Amino acid sequence: MDRFTFENPVFATYAVAATLMILKGVGMSWLTVVRMMQVNGGFRSPEDIRKTPFNPEPSPQQLAPNEYVDRIRRIQLNDLESLPYFLVAGLLFVLTDPSLALARWLFYGFVATRLLHFVAYFTAQTHDLRATLWTPGSLIVIFMTFRTLLAALGH
Amino acid sequence: MDRFTFENPVFATYAVAATLMILKGVGMSWLTVVRMMQVNGGFRSPEDIRKTPFNPEPSPQQLAPNEYVDRIRRIQLNDLESLPYFLVAGLLFVLTDPSLALARWLFYGFVATRLLHFVAYFTAQTHDLRATLWTPGSLIVIFMTFRTLLAALGH
Amino acid sequence: MDRFTFENPVFATYAVAATLMILKGVGMSWLTVVRMMQVNGGFRSPEDIRKTPFNPEPSPQQLAPNEYVDRIRRIQLNDLESLPYFLVAGLLFVLTDPSLALARWLFYGFVATRLLHFVAYFTAQTHDLRATLWTPGSLIVIFMTFRTLLAALGH
């Protein structure tokens, strides 16, 4: 049976969650671009303070660390530490034939808590709240991965 | 129908693009190694300035930031913010049965602009040019991901 | 023939290796958390020194770089530069129908050397040893990727 098809509701659920997370992840790059343009800084390469049409009045200050931009970079790095593992773990988990209800809880639970984590990080809520919203997503990845490992070892 | 097979020309196209990008991504690690050996520095861990056969005359200077090495690290980080999402987005996009022509434009367009982006970054061209070469790849990932999301939601 | 199923021993081998590596990768986030709690520092966002139940006596020192925590962050970044490429390269390599013996050498060889690399990095062994243990995993990814590229081009 081919499980990697949109006709498989568990896979379709995965695909919705995965694409939403990819769009979220890619969105961080664009948000970094927007903020670099807003503050006209937060650059990282020496050549970025060369005079160009987009940067008519360069200054060394543009290479200084900029918290407004760096916050998005930290969020982006947090995504990189999490989303690629989720994307692969979720794909493999589909092959364990979970119930649709369980798949929905796990996939959409990951999406929902990652989006809330983003809001908390973006608006600079406390470390405690951020950690609380980060935890479920990580536990979901661990749970799916363990289940897949057991299924793979059982064959 | 099994779509994840080299007999499917859309998938074969994806596989060529994906493997080229993985080789490119992994190549950045080796380029970092080469440059660290060239400058005998750009290290990051305290133990890297311990005396060893490969580092017979260690000095604290070897741990200082080194632009020649750090440029490759920035390129590598830029890859990490982009390639994993492309690899998964492209794989899922295959399941939407795009025309071969469209698949070629998107997959090879991504590869071509990422390689040009690398050349621009590597040779320290202006931020404007680098941004111009980064943008198509990001838009291609977003386009493929949206199409996949719509296909998944339509089932 | 459906190759992405646990009934395919090559795929099951991949799935075991992939899930072990995902658990390892996700484990780095938890190890960072443990160490941040141990030293009550190594934080990175300004809001992390706000007074909360988990941080009743905040101080600016908590935002200073902390080698004990940063070591895990470097290990984690090293994972990000390697594991996502392995996860996708390995999945695609399954489609080239390698012998089970070859697949086991490559997949488990990657897992074994990455775990040894972790031990070496974690216990601050020499750069030489760390590099020696890093190299096989990278070569395995390159080998699998080349084989997949040739297979994809041959169709």
Side-chain angles (χ1 to χ4, degrees):
Chain A
M1 193 186 82
D2 190 1
R3 290 183 184 83
F4 291 157
T5 161
F6 299 128
E7 274 79 39
N8 175 0
V10 168
F11 179 78
T13 304
Y14 163 74
V16 170
T19 51
L20 289 176
M21 288 292 87
I22 292 172
L23 290 172
K24 195 277 175 190
V26 174
M28 292 307 98
S29 296
W30 288 94
L31 196 49
T32 304
V33 169
V34 166
R35 290 200 161 192
M36 285 195 299
M37 290 174 73
Q38 281 177 340
V39 301
N40 193 24
F43 302 153
R44 289 202 282 201
S45 288
E47 64 267 27
D48 296 352
I49 52 170
R50 221 177 280 156
K51 191 172 179 168
T52 67
F54 278 105
N55 194 10
E57 289 174 37
S59 105
Q61 263 310 104
Q62 294 180 303
L63 291 180
N66 184 298
E67 167 60 20
Y68 186 66
V69 177
D70 288 342
R71 173 173 299 277
I72 309 301
R73 291 203 172 109
R74 289 196 303 273
I75 294 176
Q76 187 172 29
L77 184 59
N78 194 287
D79 280 347
L80 300 186
E81 293 162 5
S82 162
L83 299 192
Y85 297 133
F86 168 75
L87 293 172
V88 177
L91 183 72
L92 299 180
F93 180 67
V94 169
L95 298 177
T96 67
D97 288 330
S99 73
L100 181 56
L102 177 63
R104 280 182 175 152
W105 272 104
L106 296 172
F107 291 140
Y108 293 151
F110 183 89
V111 171
T113 57
R114 284 302 298 182
L115 293 180
L116 288 172
H117 175 266
F118 166 70
V119 173
Y121 213 152
F122 190 72
T123 59
Q125 302 302 314
T126 62
H127 197 171
D128 295 16
L129 178 60
R130 212 170 74 226
T132 304
L133 292 167
W134 173 84
T135 301
S138 188
L139 293 178
I140 285 170
V141 171
I142 291 171
F143 175 81
M144 293 194 305
T145 307
F146 258 116
R147 287 278 291 251
T148 307
L149 175 59
L150 292 179
L153 287 174
H155 278 87
Chain B
M1 194 187 81
D2 191 1
R3 291 182 184 87
F4 291 157
T5 162
F6 298 128
E7 274 79 39
N8 174 1
V10 168
F11 179 78
T13 305
Y14 163 75
V16 170
T19 50
L20 289 176
M21 289 291 89
I22 292 172
L23 291 172
K24 195 276 175 191
V26 174
M28 293 307 98
S29 295
W30 288 94
L31 197 48
T32 304
V33 170
V34 167
R35 291 201 160 190
M36 285 195 300
M37 290 174 73
Q38 282 177 337
V39 301
N40 192 25
F43 301 152
R44 290 202 282 202
S45 288
E47 65 267 27
D48 296 352
I49 51 171
R50 222 177 279 158
K51 191 170 178 168
T52 67
F54 278 105
N55 194 11
E57 290 174 36
S59 103
Q61 262 310 103
Q62 294 179 303
L63 291 179
N66 185 298
E67 167 61 19
Y68 186 65
V69 178
D70 287 342
R71 173 173 299 279
I72 309 301
R73 291 206 172 107
R74 288 196 302 273
I75 294 176
Q76 187 172 29
L77 185 58
N78 194 287
D79 280 348
L80 300 186
E81 293 162 5
S82 162
L83 300 192
Y85 296 134
F86 168 74
L87 293 172
V88 177
L91 182 73
L92 298 180
F93 180 66
V94 169
L95 299 177
T96 67
D97 287 331
S99 73
L100 182 55
L102 177 63
R104 280 182 176 152
W105 272 104
L106 296 173
F107 290 140
Y108 294 150
F110 184 89
V111 171
T113 56
R114 284 302 299 183
L115 293 180
L116 289 172
H117 176 266
F118 166 70
V119 173
Y121 213 151
F122 190 71
T123 59
Q125 303 302 313
T126 62
H127 197 170
D128 295 18
L129 178 60
R130 212 171 73 227
T132 304
L133 291 168
W134 173 85
T135 301
S138 188
L139 293 177
I140 285 169
V141 171
I142 291 170
F143 175 82
M144 293 195 305
T145 307
F146 257 116
R147 287 279 289 250
T148 307
L149 175 59
L150 292 179
L153 287 174
H155 277 85
Chain C
M1 194 187 81
D2 190 3
R3 289 182 185 86
F4 291 156
T5 160
F6 298 127
E7 274 80 39
N8 175 0
V10 169
F11 179 78
T13 304
Y14 162 75
V16 170
T19 50
L20 288 176
M21 289 291 88
I22 292 172
L23 290 173
K24 195 275 176 193
V26 174
M28 293 306 99
S29 295
W30 287 94
L31 196 48
T32 305
V33 169
V34 166
R35 290 200 161 192
M36 285 196 299
M37 290 173 73
Q38 281 177 339
V39 301
N40 192 24
F43 302 152
R44 289 203 283 202
S45 288
E47 65 267 26
D48 296 351
I49 52 170
R50 222 177 280 157
K51 191 170 176 167
T52 67
F54 277 105
N55 195 8
E57 290 175 37
S59 104
Q61 264 309 103
Q62 295 180 303
L63 291 179
N66 184 298
E67 168 60 19
Y68 185 67
V69 177
D70 288 343
R71 173 172 301 277
I72 309 302
R73 291 206 172 106
R74 289 197 302 275
I75 294 176
Q76 186 171 30
L77 185 58
N78 194 288
D79 280 346
L80 299 186
E81 293 162 7
S82 164
L83 299 192
Y85 297 133
F86 168 75
L87 293 172
V88 177
L91 183 72
L92 298 180
F93 180 66
V94 169
L95 299 177
T96 67
D97 288 331
S99 73
L100 181 56
L102 177 63
R104 279 182 175 154
W105 271 104
L106 296 173
F107 291 140
Y108 294 151
F110 184 89
V111 171
T113 56
R114 284 303 297 183
L115 292 181
L116 289 172
H117 176 267
F118 166 69
V119 173
Y121 214 152
F122 190 71
T123 59
Q125 303 302 313
T126 63
H127 197 172
D128 295 18
L129 178 60
R130 212 170 72 224
T132 304
L133 291 168
W134 173 85
T135 301
S138 189
L139 294 178
I140 285 169
V141 171
I142 291 170
F143 175 81
M144 294 194 304
T145 307
F146 257 116
R147 286 280 290 252
T148 307
L149 175 59
L150 292 179
L153 287 174
H155 277 86

